[in-house]
């Protein structure tokens, strides 16, 4: 029987298709919500200075919320892809390996001891907390002889995350700030303002730009440490820079929307099925697909039980948990 040869689809076509889907989803997210808005008003809100009640809802409430969703989705997806490539661990995710829990604990400490801290310093505290959380997880994971293993790192991440969440809860109860901490860490984009975005978004853009610039080195690093060293790569420097990028992206995401797991785990796996294992292709595509996914999740959260909000974190968890279980069932092997 004659074998049918399929012509590979060029990466540029896949990228443009993903961008087109993203633009459509972004438009849908602006139209649908607790109050459905005409497409004409969305267009006027984006391209004109005309004003009415509907247009004001888009400009002051819905648009900053969706911009936050797309940047958080992109940041978590890219940080997850970097973690998986750098550690060669398909279960790596900022939410599962202690980064978001560390940022969460730092947030609670900041609110309790520095109540006058502005948004910028709160974000800096999240960066420090994410770095501490990740360092604890990787430190414990590396203690046993034989190096990292996917399951050992995830178990260390679960233990450290539980410990850091307990610290945040304890601080919240002791200082009676549980409500304030919960408002920050509930895992949603509701209430996002343009002022918050003006502080957070530049950090996310810088982090993603650096990651794209180092994507070739990340591809080599993902093959093996020996190959990277053999090709003359300064693995220590590359890892240090990529680790800083992960901290920036995960910390900025927590400062903006709170706890959010599984996006960094599942989006890179979905992307690898379509673009392969080269991180020069994975990182840009992960940014677009992650942004699209987060927009869809936020839109569902606003519409499936309108006028009440369904937490975005619940929707993301329902979608991400089967991915996690499927990878565990495969023995920690990646989809590709």
């Amino acid at each position: 029987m004659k074998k049918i040869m399929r012509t590979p689809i060029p990466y540029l076509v896949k990228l443009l298709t993903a961008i087109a889907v993203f633009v459509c989803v972004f438009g849908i997210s602006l139209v649908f919500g607790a109050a459905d808005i005409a497409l004409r008003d969305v267009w006027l809100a984006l391209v004109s200075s005309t004003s009415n009640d509907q247009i004001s809802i888009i400009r002051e409430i819905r648009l900053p919320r969706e911009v936050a969703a797309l940047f958080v989705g992109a940041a978590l997806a890219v940080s997850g892809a970097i973690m998986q490539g750098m550690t060669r661990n398909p279960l790596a995710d900022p939410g599962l390996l202690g980064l978001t829990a560390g940022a969460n604990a730092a947030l609670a400490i900041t609110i309790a001891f520095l109540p006058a801290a502005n948004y910028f310093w709160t974000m800096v505290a999240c960066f420090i907390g994410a770095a501490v959380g990740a360092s604890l997880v990787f430190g414990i994971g590396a203690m046993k002889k034989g190096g990292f293993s996917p399951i050992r790192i995830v178990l260390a991440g679960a233990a450290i995350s539980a410990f850091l969440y307990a610290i945040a809860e304890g601080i919240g109860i002791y200082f009676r700030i549980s409500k304030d901490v919960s408002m920050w860490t509930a895992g949603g984009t509701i209430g996002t303002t343009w002022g918050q975005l003006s502080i957070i978004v530049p950090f996310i853009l810088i982090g993603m730009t650096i990651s794209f610039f180092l994507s070739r080195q990340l591809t080599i690093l993902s093959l093996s440490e020996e190959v990277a060293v053999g090709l003359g790569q300064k693995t220590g420097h590359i890892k240090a820079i990529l680790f800083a990028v992960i901290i920036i992206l995960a910390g900025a995401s927590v400062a903006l929307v709170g706890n959010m797991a599984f996006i960094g785990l599942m989006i890179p796996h979905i992307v690898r099925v379509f673009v392969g294992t080269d991180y020069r292709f994975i990182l840009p595509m992960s940014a677009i697909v992650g942004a699209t996914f987060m927009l869809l999740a936020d839109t569902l959260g606003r519409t499936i039980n309108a006028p009440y909000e369904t937490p975005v974190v619940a929707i993301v968890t329902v979608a991400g948990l089967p991915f996690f279980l499927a990878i565990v069932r495969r023995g920690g092997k990646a989809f590709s």
Side-chain angles (χ1 to χ4, degrees):
M1 186 175 177
K2 190 176 179 180
K3 191 174 181 180
I4 299 174
M5 299 295 290
R6 293 183 179 177
T7 305
I9 300 173
Y11 176 73
L12 182 60
V13 174
K14 296 175 183 176
L15 188 66
L16 291 175
T17 303
I19 292 172
V21 173
F22 163 74
V23 172
C24 290
V25 172
F26 186 67
I28 290 170
S29 71
L30 291 177
V31 171
F32 295 103
D36 291 346
I37 293 174
L39 194 58
R40 179 176 176 275
D41 288 332
V42 173
W43 177 254
L44 290 175
L46 296 176
V47 302
S48 75
S49 59
T50 306
S51 184
N52 59 35
D53 290 344
Q54 302 295 318
I55 292 174
S56 296
I57 289 175
I58 296 171
R59 286 181 182 151
E60 302 303 324
I61 299 175
R62 201 165 289 180
L63 191 55
R65 177 177 182 158
E66 300 315 321
V67 170
L70 75 90
F71 274 104
V72 167
L76 290 175
V78 170
S79 61
I82 296 171
M83 290 181 76
Q84 290 172 17
M86 196 168 73
T87 63
R88 294 180 287 284
N89 183 348
L91 292 171
D93 173 90
L96 298 176
L97 300 190
L99 278 83
T100 55
N104 187 38
L107 199 60
I109 292 170
T110 304
I111 294 173
F113 294 100
L114 300 169
N118 59 24
Y119 200 79
F120 175 81
W121 290 110
T122 303
M123 185 181 61
V124 172
C126 288
F127 291 163
I128 296 171
V132 171
S135 300
L136 289 172
V137 171
F138 285 104
I140 291 176
M143 284 174 68
K144 189 172 181 179
K145 191 176 180 181
F148 299 116
S149 78
I151 303 300
R152 190 184 306 153
I153 285 290
V154 170
L155 290 176
I160 293 298
S161 294
F163 172 68
L164 293 172
Y165 283 132
I167 289 177
E169 289 288 333
I171 291 173
I173 293 170
Y174 184 81
F175 290 94
R176 299 180 181 179
I177 55 169
S178 296
K179 187 177 178 181
D180 296 328
V181 175
S182 298
M183 287 179 66
W184 274 87
T185 60
T189 55
I190 188 169
T192 303
T193 65
W194 287 115
Q196 293 171 334
L197 290 172
S198 67
I199 296 172
I200 296 281
V201 168
F203 284 92
I204 293 177
L205 288 175
I206 291 170
M208 286 200 290
T209 302
I210 295 172
S211 70
F212 295 161
F213 183 72
L214 294 177
S215 58
R216 181 175 174 275
Q217 287 85 344
L218 180 60
T219 302
I220 297 171
L221 199 58
S222 70
L223 299 176
S224 78
E225 190 88 12
E226 291 74 16
V227 170
V229 173
L231 291 173
Q233 187 179 106
K234 296 180 179 177
T235 55
H237 292 97
I238 298 297
K239 283 183 177 179
I241 297 171
L242 289 174
F243 186 74
V245 169
I246 292 168
I247 298 304
I248 290 172
L249 294 178
S253 299
V254 171
L256 197 54
V257 304
N259 304 321
M260 195 72 67
F262 293 121
I263 292 179
L265 171 73
M266 62 180 168
I267 298 300
H269 283 284
I270 294 172
V271 166
R272 280 193 202 93
V273 173
F274 297 101
V275 304
T277 56
D278 191 333
Y279 281 85
R280 291 176 299 174
F281 303 144
I282 291 175
L283 294 186
M285 189 66 90
S286 292
I288 296 168
V289 176
T292 306
F293 175 82
M294 190 66 184
L295 285 172
L296 278 173
D298 189 66
T299 305
L300 274 176
R302 285 186 285 115
T303 53
I304 58 176
N305 192 31
Y308 303 104
E309 290 266 349
T310 301
V312 180
V313 65
I315 294 171
V316 173
T317 302
V318 168
L321 187 59
F323 259 89
F324 178 78
L325 296 177
I327 298 169
V328 171
R329 184 180 170 81
R330 289 165 63 91
K333 295 179 180 177
F335 291 97
S336 61

PDB file of all heavy atoms in Angstrom, residues 36-54:
ATOM      1  N   ASP A  36     -23.666  42.096  27.942  1.00  0.00           N
ATOM      2  CA  ASP A  36     -23.177  41.960  26.572  1.00  0.00           C
ATOM      3  C   ASP A  36     -23.142  43.324  25.899  1.00  0.00           C
ATOM      4  O   ASP A  36     -24.042  44.151  26.062  1.00  0.00           O
ATOM      5  CB  ASP A  36     -24.078  41.014  25.778  1.00  0.00           C
ATOM      6  CG  ASP A  36     -23.932  39.582  26.273  1.00  0.00           C
ATOM      7  OD1 ASP A  36     -22.976  39.315  27.018  1.00  0.00           O
ATOM      8  OD2 ASP A  36     -24.787  38.754  25.917  1.00  0.00           O
ATOM      9  N   ILE A  37     -22.089  43.562  25.134  1.00  0.00           N
ATOM     10  CA  ILE A  37     -21.883  44.874  24.522  1.00  0.00           C
ATOM     11  C   ILE A  37     -21.787  44.709  23.015  1.00  0.00           C
ATOM     12  O   ILE A  37     -21.188  43.737  22.523  1.00  0.00           O
ATOM     13  CB  ILE A  37     -20.597  45.515  25.085  1.00  0.00           C
ATOM     14  CG1 ILE A  37     -20.804  45.842  26.570  1.00  0.00           C
ATOM     15  CG2 ILE A  37     -20.230  46.776  24.322  1.00  0.00           C
ATOM     16  CD1 ILE A  37     -19.588  46.334  27.280  1.00  0.00           C
ATOM     17  N   ALA A  38     -22.372  45.647  22.275  1.00  0.00           N
ATOM     18  CA  ALA A  38     -22.369  45.565  20.811  1.00  0.00           C
ATOM     19  C   ALA A  38     -20.946  45.678  20.267  1.00  0.00           C
ATOM     20  O   ALA A  38     -20.110  46.404  20.820  1.00  0.00           O
ATOM     21  CB  ALA A  38     -23.241  46.673  20.228  1.00  0.00           C
ATOM     22  N   LEU A  39     -20.688  44.950  19.184  1.00  0.00           N
ATOM     23  CA  LEU A  39     -19.364  44.967  18.571  1.00  0.00           C
ATOM     24  C   LEU A  39     -18.980  46.388  18.124  1.00  0.00           C
ATOM     25  O   LEU A  39     -17.808  46.770  18.186  1.00  0.00           O
ATOM     26  CB  LEU A  39     -19.353  44.016  17.368  1.00  0.00           C
ATOM     27  CG  LEU A  39     -17.987  43.639  16.795  1.00  0.00           C
ATOM     28  CD1 LEU A  39     -17.115  42.987  17.859  1.00  0.00           C
ATOM     29  CD2 LEU A  39     -18.160  42.719  15.593  1.00  0.00           C
ATOM     30  N   ARG A  40     -19.988  47.172  17.726  1.00  0.00           N
ATOM     31  CA  ARG A  40     -19.723  48.551  17.297  1.00  0.00           C
ATOM     32  C   ARG A  40     -19.154  49.382  18.453  1.00  0.00           C
ATOM     33  O   ARG A  40     -18.218  50.173  18.264  1.00  0.00           O
ATOM     34  CB  ARG A  40     -21.026  49.180  16.788  1.00  0.00           C
ATOM     35  CG  ARG A  40     -20.907  50.627  16.337  1.00  0.00           C
ATOM     36  CD  ARG A  40     -22.217  51.137  15.761  1.00  0.00           C
ATOM     37  NE  ARG A  40     -22.115  52.552  15.414  1.00  0.00           N
ATOM     38  CZ  ARG A  40     -22.301  53.528  16.268  1.00  0.00           C
ATOM     39  NH1 ARG A  40     -22.611  53.239  17.538  1.00  0.00           N
ATOM     40  NH2 ARG A  40     -22.186  54.794  15.884  1.00  0.00           N
ATOM     41  N   ASP A  41     -19.696  49.179  19.675  1.00  0.00           N
ATOM     42  CA  ASP A  41     -19.189  49.923  20.828  1.00  0.00           C
ATOM     43  C   ASP A  41     -17.759  49.503  21.175  1.00  0.00           C
ATOM     44  O   ASP A  41     -16.947  50.328  21.609  1.00  0.00           O
ATOM     45  CB  ASP A  41     -20.097  49.705  22.044  1.00  0.00           C
ATOM     46  CG  ASP A  41     -21.426  50.432  21.907  1.00  0.00           C
ATOM     47  OD1 ASP A  41     -21.454  51.477  21.210  1.00  0.00           O
ATOM     48  OD2 ASP A  41     -22.423  49.960  22.478  1.00  0.00           O
ATOM     49  N   VAL A  42     -17.467  48.209  20.984  1.00  0.00           N
ATOM     50  CA  VAL A  42     -16.099  47.741  21.218  1.00  0.00           C
ATOM     51  C   VAL A  42     -15.145  48.436  20.256  1.00  0.00           C
ATOM     52  O   VAL A  42     -14.067  48.911  20.650  1.00  0.00           O
ATOM     53  CB  VAL A  42     -16.011  46.208  21.039  1.00  0.00           C
ATOM     54  CG1 VAL A  42     -14.561  45.741  21.101  1.00  0.00           C
ATOM     55  CG2 VAL A  42     -16.832  45.502  22.116  1.00  0.00           C
ATOM     56  N   TRP A  43     -15.539  48.506  18.998  1.00  0.00           N
ATOM     57  CA  TRP A  43     -14.702  49.146  17.998  1.00  0.00           C
ATOM     58  C   TRP A  43     -14.487  50.627  18.324  1.00  0.00           C
ATOM     59  O   TRP A  43     -13.359  51.139  18.256  1.00  0.00           O
ATOM     60  CB  TRP A  43     -15.346  48.994  16.612  1.00  0.00           C
ATOM     61  CG  TRP A  43     -14.600  49.682  15.519  1.00  0.00           C
ATOM     62  CD1 TRP A  43     -14.948  50.842  14.869  1.00  0.00           C
ATOM     63  CD2 TRP A  43     -13.346  49.280  14.943  1.00  0.00           C
ATOM     64  NE1 TRP A  43     -14.011  51.182  13.934  1.00  0.00           N
ATOM     65  CE2 TRP A  43     -13.004  50.226  13.951  1.00  0.00           C
ATOM     66  CE3 TRP A  43     -12.485  48.212  15.157  1.00  0.00           C
ATOM     67  CZ2 TRP A  43     -11.844  50.144  13.194  1.00  0.00           C
ATOM     68  CZ3 TRP A  43     -11.327  48.119  14.399  1.00  0.00           C
ATOM     69  CH2 TRP A  43     -11.025  49.075  13.435  1.00  0.00           C
ATOM     70  N   LEU A  44     -15.586  51.316  18.709  1.00  0.00           N
ATOM     71  CA  LEU A  44     -15.477  52.748  19.046  1.00  0.00           C
ATOM     72  C   LEU A  44     -14.598  52.956  20.282  1.00  0.00           C
ATOM     73  O   LEU A  44     -13.841  53.936  20.358  1.00  0.00           O
ATOM     74  CB  LEU A  44     -16.871  53.328  19.297  1.00  0.00           C
ATOM     75  CG  LEU A  44     -17.777  53.465  18.060  1.00  0.00           C
ATOM     76  CD1 LEU A  44     -19.176  53.936  18.458  1.00  0.00           C
ATOM     77  CD2 LEU A  44     -17.170  54.443  17.054  1.00  0.00           C
ATOM     78  N   ALA A  45     -14.691  52.035  21.237  1.00  0.00           N
ATOM     79  CA  ALA A  45     -13.868  52.161  22.450  1.00  0.00           C
ATOM     80  C   ALA A  45     -12.385  52.043  22.132  1.00  0.00           C
ATOM     81  O   ALA A  45     -11.540  52.671  22.785  1.00  0.00           O
ATOM     82  CB  ALA A  45     -14.274  51.084  23.457  1.00  0.00           C
ATOM     83  N   LEU A  46     -12.058  51.251  21.100  1.00  0.00           N
ATOM     84  CA  LEU A  46     -10.655  51.012  20.768  1.00  0.00           C
ATOM     85  C   LEU A  46     -10.057  52.080  19.854  1.00  0.00           C
ATOM     86  O   LEU A  46      -8.861  52.374  19.947  1.00  0.00           O
ATOM     87  CB  LEU A  46     -10.498  49.632  20.104  1.00  0.00           C
ATOM     88  CG  LEU A  46     -10.834  48.413  20.969  1.00  0.00           C
ATOM     89  CD1 LEU A  46     -10.736  47.137  20.145  1.00  0.00           C
ATOM     90  CD2 LEU A  46      -9.914  48.331  22.176  1.00  0.00           C
ATOM     91  N   VAL A  47     -10.887  52.654  18.977  1.00  0.00           N
ATOM     92  CA  VAL A  47     -10.314  53.520  17.930  1.00  0.00           C
ATOM     93  C   VAL A  47     -10.798  54.967  17.975  1.00  0.00           C
ATOM     94  O   VAL A  47     -10.348  55.773  17.154  1.00  0.00           O
ATOM     95  CB  VAL A  47     -10.600  52.937  16.528  1.00  0.00           C
ATOM     96  CG1 VAL A  47     -10.042  51.535  16.389  1.00  0.00           C
ATOM     97  CG2 VAL A  47     -12.104  52.949  16.225  1.00  0.00           C
ATOM     98  N   SER A  48     -11.702  55.312  18.878  1.00  0.00           N
ATOM     99  CA  SER A  48     -12.217  56.690  18.887  1.00  0.00           C
ATOM    100  C   SER A  48     -12.221  57.243  20.308  1.00  0.00           C
ATOM    101  O   SER A  48     -11.945  56.524  21.271  1.00  0.00           O
ATOM    102  CB  SER A  48     -13.640  56.725  18.308  1.00  0.00           C
ATOM    103  OG  SER A  48     -14.547  56.204  19.253  1.00  0.00           O
ATOM    104  N   SER A  49     -12.555  58.519  20.420  1.00  0.00           N
ATOM    105  CA  SER A  49     -12.673  59.151  21.739  1.00  0.00           C
ATOM    106  C   SER A  49     -14.125  59.296  22.167  1.00  0.00           C
ATOM    107  O   SER A  49     -14.434  59.958  23.150  1.00  0.00           O
ATOM    108  CB  SER A  49     -11.991  60.529  21.713  1.00  0.00           C
ATOM    109  OG  SER A  49     -12.594  61.348  20.711  1.00  0.00           O
ATOM    110  N   THR A  50     -15.039  58.696  21.378  1.00  0.00           N
ATOM    111  CA  THR A  50     -16.462  58.728  21.716  1.00  0.00           C
ATOM    112  C   THR A  50     -16.699  58.075  23.076  1.00  0.00           C
ATOM    113  O   THR A  50     -15.993  57.133  23.445  1.00  0.00           O
ATOM    114  CB  THR A  50     -17.273  57.967  20.642  1.00  0.00           C
ATOM    115  OG1 THR A  50     -16.953  58.503  19.369  1.00  0.00           O
ATOM    116  CG2 THR A  50     -18.760  58.086  20.891  1.00  0.00           C
ATOM    117  N   SER A  51     -17.715  58.558  23.802  1.00  0.00           N
ATOM    118  CA  SER A  51     -17.956  58.000  25.131  1.00  0.00           C
ATOM    119  C   SER A  51     -19.450  57.832  25.397  1.00  0.00           C
ATOM    120  O   SER A  51     -20.256  58.696  25.033  1.00  0.00           O
ATOM    121  CB  SER A  51     -17.338  58.912  26.202  1.00  0.00           C
ATOM    122  OG  SER A  51     -17.499  58.336  27.480  1.00  0.00           O
ATOM    123  N   ASN A  52     -19.814  56.688  25.949  1.00  0.00           N
ATOM    124  CA  ASN A  52     -21.145  56.460  26.515  1.00  0.00           C
ATOM    125  C   ASN A  52     -20.979  55.391  27.593  1.00  0.00           C
ATOM    126  O   ASN A  52     -19.849  54.946  27.875  1.00  0.00           O
ATOM    127  CB  ASN A  52     -22.166  56.045  25.446  1.00  0.00           C
ATOM    128  CG  ASN A  52     -21.765  54.769  24.724  1.00  0.00           C
ATOM    129  OD1 ASN A  52     -21.181  53.866  25.320  1.00  0.00           O
ATOM    130  ND2 ASN A  52     -22.070  54.699  23.433  1.00  0.00           N
ATOM    131  N   ASP A  53     -22.057  54.923  28.203  1.00  0.00           N
ATOM    132  CA  ASP A  53     -21.935  53.973  29.315  1.00  0.00           C
ATOM    133  C   ASP A  53     -21.264  52.677  28.879  1.00  0.00           C
ATOM    134  O   ASP A  53     -20.416  52.128  29.590  1.00  0.00           O
ATOM    135  CB  ASP A  53     -23.317  53.679  29.904  1.00  0.00           C
ATOM    136  CG  ASP A  53     -23.888  54.884  30.646  1.00  0.00           C
ATOM    137  OD1 ASP A  53     -23.097  55.803  30.962  1.00  0.00           O
ATOM    138  OD2 ASP A  53     -25.110  54.907  30.892  1.00  0.00           O
ATOM    139  N   GLN A  54     -21.683  52.159  27.720  1.00  0.00           N
ATOM    140  CA  GLN A  54     -21.134  50.888  27.241  1.00  0.00           C
ATOM    141  C   GLN A  54     -19.636  51.021  26.943  1.00  0.00           C
ATOM    142  O   GLN A  54     -18.830  50.145  27.294  1.00  0.00           O
ATOM    143  CB  GLN A  54     -21.881  50.450  25.976  1.00  0.00           C
ATOM    144  CG  GLN A  54     -23.374  50.286  26.156  1.00  0.00           C
ATOM    145  CD  GLN A  54     -23.704  49.153  27.116  1.00  0.00           C
ATOM    146  OE1 GLN A  54     -23.089  48.102  27.061  1.00  0.00           O
ATOM    147  NE2 GLN A  54     -24.645  49.376  28.017  1.00  0.00           N
TER     148      GLN A  54
END
